[in-house]
């Protein structure tokens, strides 16, 4: 580095944000990038949600009323891809960007320019994915799992889908590298690993999962691409390939992906519950160990997604048992959260409501998960609405509720204003009622015999589908309330103190609200 | 007075009779309504017990596991709800300051572990039964196509295709104007069902000619993927003659929802005659 550069950076030490659009395009500030991630996720929530409503409208009653079966399949596929890669993962990356440096007393992320790039890949990747809907042959229609040979029966959009998954993967990998380097190198003096807030811990494990899993997905979809365009036969039986190989590759990525989504949610809930219980997180050490063991186990359970492909008995037994083992650290977490509340002084502000909703409804998803781990039962549940109900319980009142709770929890820190508590509570209760109306009946549909991914159904499935669709529209519209609350909070409202809540723990509450553009330029000393 | 009493009791009896009659009528109407609602849609909420050893083993295991998670769920949610109510913030009451308990954490790590081991044992037993295809008397080869099934009676020199029933196929078209309720077994009817003998252990081989499919008949407890290049196998034995319905359970393209499965199980003697007739005729 030349001296001139050094002078240059001195000049910049006290700078504020650039003005106008260029601030957001060129920003290397972790708070700006966090905001961008969160806003992108919010937009994608509605894009993916709209697709869900197309699905639920079509399933409102038997017969085909609105969309053709092929477009229906495009909707289920795109809904999943958008929600997983475009909504929930960027949402948690947004939390990571905003909160990790502030929680560990670092001035910014370790690799700020890469940070900018990992965000700005997303809108382009997302736009390219959405653009496939307008191409001849339409968007991907083989389910988000992209199983060949079906996924190879695709239109012109196919390579664009693959390329967009590549870009989303690169973005995630860069974000993960950034998070790991930041956490391992930029902690304030005294912030030992075992003193880090749980949210930071869960993201550290998540980042390692991402680095392990995303390249595997990239490899798998690249093999799809060469099968389609370059004459290879990785997955084509006619050329000596193996269609089941793709399923192994996909789920070797796909199962860690499940925990990539849920671990940061665990982290956020572990921040919220102690604050509103006015009591320290119970069993911090065992929470860390549970997180790490969930991370490890997530790599050795993948084949439980494919019990019906015809595995050897020994394989079925192995994957059944490893899967059941995951219930142990997960149960530990739930018990620890309840113990955190035990003999605390609870209040029920909106973030706490979402965290409690998470506890109840994530547990329901956990129970059905345990049921599906049992291979003979999975033979009946597999690919029915029972699994749809299961993973939506884990993802919506699970991961999404945690993200919403986290947004309410830190909004005052981000904006400097309190959000409207009454509206927040309305948002919570409407979401909770409708999300259960939406997903609980799907358990019944699956058990009664309705397969997933069908645009039309036999008449005995009408009633619960009708209830579920009503729930879907209610839940969708309830989220508009959230947008209104966020806009209102960003524009004004009661001034937030630097602590915001009643003596919360953590470095982020020692800086003013809104958090200044640069925080912890001098590292705080953690005792 | 007497007359009045007599009149009164007559009136009373009549009143009771007529009340009884209308109550009966109401009851009948309610039953009728219920039956009507039942016929149209049954708000079904659970797995069927099914008609095979496999399906009833799965059903029993399902009820056991459902029972266990329900009990655990009720306990955990009760404790959680109690905590939410009992430990609300009250003036003058400070939070406890403890933040761990090795004993408690040890206990609630070990207990779930043993619950899991306890569940794994009956699960493994059922699984071993399900995977044991030995001793079968008839082999049927099932091949998935976009979007129909082919059934081949292995060694009997007979096979045929089975596709969605015509009436369903008309009614399922977009804006067909047909009422799905007016179609018998809407989307669960085929032109030619798979015919099988009752009381015979049947081994099935399953593969696909194009993309992945899955052959699922809930009443049999059978769901197995049909994958090109793979020959999967399994078995079932149906003792009760009847018609059993299922659907493709693996996304296989635009008409994935429209390739149902119908299995007609008939007495063994009739089956032999039926098969002979099909092969020769």
């Amino acid at each position: 580095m030349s001296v001139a550069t050094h002078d240059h950076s001195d000049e910049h030490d006290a700078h504020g944000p650039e003005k106008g659009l260029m601030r957001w395009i060129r920003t290397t500030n972790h708070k700006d990038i966090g905001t961008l991630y969160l806003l992108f996720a919010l937009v994608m929530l509605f894009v993916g949600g709209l697709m869900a409503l197309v699905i639920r409208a079509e399933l409102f009653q038997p017969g085909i009323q609105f969309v053709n079966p092929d477009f229906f399949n495009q909707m289920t596929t795109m809904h999943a891809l958008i929600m997983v890669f475009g909504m929930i993962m960027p949402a948690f990356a947004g939390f990571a960007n905003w909160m990790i440096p502030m929680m560990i007393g670092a001035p910014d992320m370790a690799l700020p320019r890469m940070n900018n790039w990992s965000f700005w890949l997303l809108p382009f990747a997302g736009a390219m994915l959405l653009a496939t809907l307008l191409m001849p042959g339409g968007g991907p229609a083989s389910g988000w799992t992209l199983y060949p040979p079906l996924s190879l029966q695709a239109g012109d959009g196919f390579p664009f889908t693959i390329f967009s998954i590549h870009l989303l993967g690169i973005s995630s990998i860069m974000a993960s590298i950034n998070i790991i380097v930041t956490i391992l190198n930029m902690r304030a003096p005294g912030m030992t690993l075992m003193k880090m807030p749980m949210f930071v811990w869960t993201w550290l494990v998540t980042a390692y999962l991402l680095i392990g899993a995303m390249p595997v997905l990239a490899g798998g979809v690249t093999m799809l691409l060469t099968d389609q365009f370059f004459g290879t036969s990785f997955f084509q039986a006619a050329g000596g390939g193996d269609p089941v190989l793709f399923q192994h590759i996909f789920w070797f990525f796909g199962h860690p992906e499940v925990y990539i989504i849920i671990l940061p949610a665990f982290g956020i809930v572990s921040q919220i519950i102690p604050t509103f219980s006015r009591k320290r997180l119970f069993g911090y050490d065992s929470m860390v160990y549970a997180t790490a063991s969930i991370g490890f186990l997530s790599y050795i359970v993948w084949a439980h997604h494919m019990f019906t492909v015809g595995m050897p008995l020994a394989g079925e037994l192995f994957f059944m048992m490893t899967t059941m083992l995951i219930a142990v650290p997960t149960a530990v977490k739930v018990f620890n959260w309840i113990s955190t509340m035990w003999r605390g002084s609870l209040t029920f502000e909106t973030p706490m409501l979402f965290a409690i909703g998470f506890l109840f409804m994530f547990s329901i998803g956990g129970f059905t998960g345990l049921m599906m781990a049992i291979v003979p039962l999975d033979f009946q549940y597999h690919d029915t609405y029972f699994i749809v109900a299961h993973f939506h319980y884990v993802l919506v009142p699970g991961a999404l509720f945690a993200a919403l709770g986290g947004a309410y929890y830190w909004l005052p820190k981000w904006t400097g204003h309190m959000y409207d508590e009454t509206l927040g509570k309305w948002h919570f209760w409407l979401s909770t009622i409708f999300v259960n109306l939406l997903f609980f009946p799907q358990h019944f549909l699956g058990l009664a015999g309705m397969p997933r991914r069908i645009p039309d159904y036999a008449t005995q499935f009408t009633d619960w589908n009708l209830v579920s669709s009503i729930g879907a529209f209610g839940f969708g519209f309830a989220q508009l309330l959230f947008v209104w609350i966020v806009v209102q909070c960003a524009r004004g409202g009661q001034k937030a103190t630097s602590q915001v809540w009643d003596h919360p723990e953590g470095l982020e509450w020692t800086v003013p609200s809104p958090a200044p553009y640069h925080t912890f330029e001098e590292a705080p000393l953690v005792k | 007075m007497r007359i009045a009493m007599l009149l009164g009791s007559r009136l009373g009896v009549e009143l009771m009779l007529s009340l009884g009659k209308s109550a009966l009528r109401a009851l009948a109407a309610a039953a009728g309504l219920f039956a009507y609602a039942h016929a149209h849609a049954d708000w079904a909420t659970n797995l069927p017990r099914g008609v095979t050893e496999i399906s009833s083993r799965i059903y029993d295991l399902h009820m056991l596991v459902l029972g266990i998670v329900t009990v655990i769920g009720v306990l955990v949610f009760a404790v959680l709800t109690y905590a939410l109510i009992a430990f609300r913030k009250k003036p003058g009451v400070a939070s406890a300051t403890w933040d761990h308990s090795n004993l408690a954490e040890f206990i609630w790590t070990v207990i779930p572990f043993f619950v899991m081991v306890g569940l794994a044992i009956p699960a493994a037993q059922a699984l071993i039964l399900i995977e044991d295809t030995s001793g079968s008397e008839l082999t049927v080869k099932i091949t998935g196509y976009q979007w129909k099934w082919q059934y081949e009676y292995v060694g009997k020199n007979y096979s045929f295709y089975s596709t969605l029933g015509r009436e369903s196929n008309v009614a399922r078209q977009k804006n067909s104007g047909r009422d799905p309720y007016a179609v018998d077994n809407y989307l669960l009817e085929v032109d030619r069902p798979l015919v099988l003998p009752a009381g015979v252990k049947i081994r099935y081989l399953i593969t696909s000619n194009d993309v992945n499919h899955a052959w699922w008949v809930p009443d049999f407890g059978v769901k197995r993927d049909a994958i090109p290049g793979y020959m999967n196998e399994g078995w079932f034995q149906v003792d009760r003659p009847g018609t059993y319905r299922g659907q493709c359970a693996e996304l296989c393209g635009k008409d994935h929802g429209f390739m149902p499965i119908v299995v007609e199980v008939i007495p063994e003697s009739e089956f032999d005659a039926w098969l002979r007739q099909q092969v020769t005729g």
Side-chain angles (χ1 to χ4, degrees):
Chain A
M1 283 284 164
S2 68
V3 179
T5 319
H6 186 248
D7 285 343
H8 189 69
S9 70
D10 272 350
E11 226 167 78
H12 270 239
D13 268 357
H15 79 166
E18 230 175 308
K19 295 277 174 263
L21 186 66
M22 288 317 279
R23 164 183 176 182
W24 300 102
I25 292 174
R26 304 193 342 182
T27 183
T28 54
N29 180 288
H30 73 103
K31 300 184 182 80
D32 281 356
I33 293 173
T35 304
L36 286 171
Y37 265 115
L38 289 165
L39 289 178
F40 179 76
L42 189 58
V43 171
M44 285 297 151
L45 176 69
F46 286 93
V47 174
L50 210 62
M51 294 172 178
L53 292 188
V54 171
I55 295 168
R56 285 315 322 172
E58 184 54 63
L59 293 175
F60 187 74
Q61 55 175 351
I64 291 189
Q65 291 85 23
F66 303 108
V67 295
N68 291 315
D70 186 52
F71 188 72
F72 183 90
N73 290 343
Q74 293 176 35
M75 286 292 102
T76 56
T77 307
M78 289 291 260
H79 163 73
L81 289 172
I82 294 286
M83 286 304 203
V84 170
F85 294 107
M87 191 279 284
I88 201 77
M89 289 170 70
F92 288 132
F95 282 105
N97 261 292
W98 250 104
M99 302 319 299
I100 288 176
M102 280 165 58
M103 285 177 151
I104 63 173
D108 203 311
M109 296 295 280
L111 308 160
R113 291 184 189 189
M114 192 167 85
N115 204 13
N116 172 295
W117 192 24
S118 51
F119 170 75
W120 277 109
L121 278 177
L122 284 182
F124 296 96
M128 186 154 59
L129 186 59
L130 287 173
T132 60
L133 287 173
L134 306 172
M135 294 178 190
S142 56
W144 82 290
T145 52
L146 301 171
Y147 282 2
L150 182 64
S151 59
L152 299 175
Q153 294 180 344
D156 292 357
F158 180 72
F160 294 91
T161 308
I162 303 289
F163 192 41
S164 130
I165 291 173
H166 279 148
L167 289 180
L168 294 164
I170 292 169
S171 158
S172 291
I173 291 170
M174 288 195 298
S176 306
I177 292 172
N178 214 342
I179 285 166
I180 292 173
V181 176
T182 306
I183 294 174
L184 294 185
N185 291 301
M186 297 184 62
R187 278 169 288 129
M191 176 65 78
T192 60
L193 284 177
M194 291 307 277
K195 277 187 190 163
M196 293 194 310
M198 267 317 289
F199 178 70
V200 181
W201 254 115
T202 55
W203 245 113
L204 183 62
V205 176
T206 301
Y208 275 108
L209 290 182
L210 274 166
I211 287 184
M214 294 309 292
V216 179
L217 176 68
V221 296
T222 306
M223 287 151 90
L224 283 180
L225 202 65
T226 63
D227 267 14
Q228 184 80 324
F229 296 109
F230 302 106
T232 58
S233 295
F234 291 110
F235 310 126
Q236 314 220 43
D242 181 351
V244 177
L245 174 65
F246 180 83
Q247 301 191 18
H248 283 290
I249 293 173
F250 183 86
W251 288 114
F252 189 81
F253 143 79
H255 202 81
E257 172 68 23
V258 171
Y259 293 94
I260 287 165
I261 291 170
I262 204 64
L263 286 180
F266 287 170
I268 290 175
V269 169
S270 302
Q271 300 300 130
I272 294 174
I273 289 179
T275 296
F276 297 97
S277 304
R278 290 159 184 80
K279 189 159 153 277
R280 289 172 62 91
L281 182 68
F282 183 88
Y284 173 89
D285 292 12
S286 64
M287 287 297 236
V288 172
Y289 301 142
T291 307
S293 45
I294 290 174
F296 168 73
L297 286 172
S298 76
Y299 274 113
I300 55 166
V301 298
W302 77 89
H304 70 215
H305 296 270
M306 32 194 294
F307 280 143
T308 60
V309 298
M311 255 183 282
L313 181 63
E316 290 175 329
L317 289 173
F318 173 81
F319 285 108
M320 172 171 83
M321 286 167 193
T322 50
T323 305
M324 290 168 83
L325 269 185
I326 291 194
V328 177
T330 315
V332 167
K333 282 189 167 280
V334 172
F335 295 144
N336 282 1
W337 285 320
I338 297 176
S339 306
T340 304
M341 295 183 202
W342 203 260
R343 298 200 38 212
S345 324
L346 308 185
T347 50
F348 303 99
E349 288 84 347
T350 310
M352 184 63 161
L353 289 178
F354 274 100
I356 292 166
F358 170 93
L359 264 186
F360 275 99
M361 290 179 275
F362 174 78
S363 298
I364 292 175
F367 291 135
T368 51
L370 174 62
M371 295 171 76
M372 277 182 302
I374 296 168
V375 187
L377 303 185
D378 186 70
F379 287 158
Q380 287 283 39
Y381 307 149
H382 181 76
D383 266 334
T384 68
Y385 262 83
F386 192 77
I387 170 89
V388 177
H390 157 73
F391 67 71
H392 279 101
Y393 259 90
V394 179
L395 288 175
V396 183
L400 181 62
F401 265 40
L404 291 170
Y408 284 109
Y409 185 52
W410 285 304
L411 256 179
K413 178 57 64 186
W414 298 336
T415 64
H417 306 124
M418 299 306 285
Y419 59 87
D420 186 327
E421 191 63 60
T422 312
L423 284 184
K425 284 181 172 148
W426 269 98
H427 176 219
F428 168 76
W429 284 109
L430 288 174
S431 297
T432 300
I433 291 165
F434 283 119
V435 87
N436 283 293
L437 212 54
L438 165 55
F439 294 122
F440 209 82
Q442 296 186 358
H443 291 115
F444 303 147
L445 284 170
L447 292 176
M450 180 166 160
R452 65 191 286 205
R453 294 167 168 166
I454 56 173
D456 193 7
Y457 47 80
T459 49
Q460 71 260 34
F461 303 127
T462 307
D463 305 272
W464 291 124
N465 269 304
L466 189 141
V467 174
S468 182
S469 290
I470 292 170
F473 280 86
F475 184 75
F477 286 113
Q479 304 320 303
L480 293 173
L481 193 54
F482 177 65
V483 176
W484 170 245
I485 295 168
V486 170
V487 170
Q488 212 188 20
C489 179
R491 289 170 59 180
Q494 188 199 329
K495 288 264 175 279
T497 62
S498 59
Q499 288 216 326
V500 182
W501 311 111
D502 192 7
H503 300 288
E505 214 183 311
L507 289 176
E508 77 263 39
W509 309 110
T510 63
V511 302
S513 306
Y517 200 55
H518 294 290
T519 40
F520 298 123
E521 282 169 293
E522 278 175 43
L525 189 66
V526 180
K527 286 181 291 262
Chain B
M1 187 68 197
R2 263 189 76 133
I3 295 170
M5 268 179 72
L6 207 69
L7 202 71
S9 66
R10 280 267 320 250
L11 263 175
V13 169
E14 221 145 278
L15 200 72
M16 270 166 66
L17 271 177
S18 80
L19 264 180
K21 261 187 210 155
S22 44
L24 269 176
R25 257 201 306 274
L27 210 66
L33 200 69
F34 183 72
Y36 173 82
H38 212 70
H40 253 253
D42 42 9
W43 298 93
T45 54
N46 203 3
L47 272 187
R49 173 175 269 284
V51 292
T52 65
E53 190 184 355
I54 293 175
S55 70
S56 58
R57 280 288 280 273
I58 292 177
Y59 178 81
D60 290 338
L61 194 57
H62 162 75
M63 292 313 284
L64 172 74
V65 179
L66 185 62
I68 290 172
V69 298
T70 307
V71 169
I72 297 173
V74 167
L75 287 176
V76 171
F77 291 165
V79 173
L80 176 52
T81 309
Y82 174 78
L84 295 179
I85 295 165
F87 305 119
R88 281 168 302 159
K89 187 180 178 190
K90 294 177 211 93
V93 181
S95 301
T97 49
W98 43 262
D99 62 7
H100 70 283
S101 154
N102 290 344
L103 179 67
E105 289 170 70
F106 177 74
I107 291 171
W108 66 51
T109 310
V110 170
I111 289 179
F113 181 78
F114 283 107
V115 172
M116 295 308 126
V117 173
L119 283 177
I121 293 166
Q125 284 168 338
L127 193 57
I128 288 166
L129 170 91
I130 292 170
E131 298 293 350
D132 177 16
T133 56
S134 62
S136 64
E137 293 170 57
L138 176 69
T139 301
V140 178
K141 186 181 162 200
I142 304 167
T143 309
Y145 288 80
Q146 284 174 315
W147 292 273
K148 55 182 175 274
W149 297 100
Q150 185 192 23
Y151 300 111
E152 180 188 340
Y153 296 83
V154 175
K156 312 281 185 194
N157 198 24
Y158 180 60
S159 74
F160 63 89
Y161 292 94
S162 177
T163 56
L164 181 67
R166 209 175 55 83
E167 260 194 281
S168 289
N169 197 32
V170 171
R172 69 137 174 136
Q173 303 301 328
K174 192 174 163 190
N175 300 320
S176 64
R178 301 288 184 88
D179 179 12
Y181 287 99
V183 179
D184 283 342
N185 299 308
Y186 178 61
L187 298 187
L188 294 178
E189 194 63 275
V190 294
D191 56 351
R192 300 189 61 187
L194 171 63
V195 179
L196 290 174
V200 170
K201 182 165 180 177
I202 290 153
R203 170 171 168 258
Y204 62 87
L205 300 171
I206 183 163
T207 186
S208 165
N209 197 48
D210 37 47
V211 302
N212 297 354
H213 304 268
W215 198 80
W216 180 33
V217 180
D219 279 328
F220 297 174
V222 166
K223 184 186 291 134
R224 196 49 66 96
D225 289 0
I227 301 168
Y230 273 77
M231 188 64 78
N232 280 325
E233 65 166 358
W235 71 279
F236 56 87
Q237 175 175 334
V238 186
D239 294 325
R240 201 177 340 139
T243 306
Y244 304 100
R245 296 170 200 282
Q247 283 179 272
C248 178
E250 179 67 54
L251 180 62
C252 58
K254 75 179 170 69
D255 286 350
H256 163 56
F258 309 105
M259 49 182 291
I261 295 151
V262 179
V263 184
E264 198 106 38
V265 178
I266 58 178
E268 200 181 351
S269 52
E270 286 176 37
F271 174 77
D272 292 338
W274 175 84
L275 190 61
R276 237 188 339 270
Q277 195 194 354
Q278 304 299 315
V279 173
T280 56

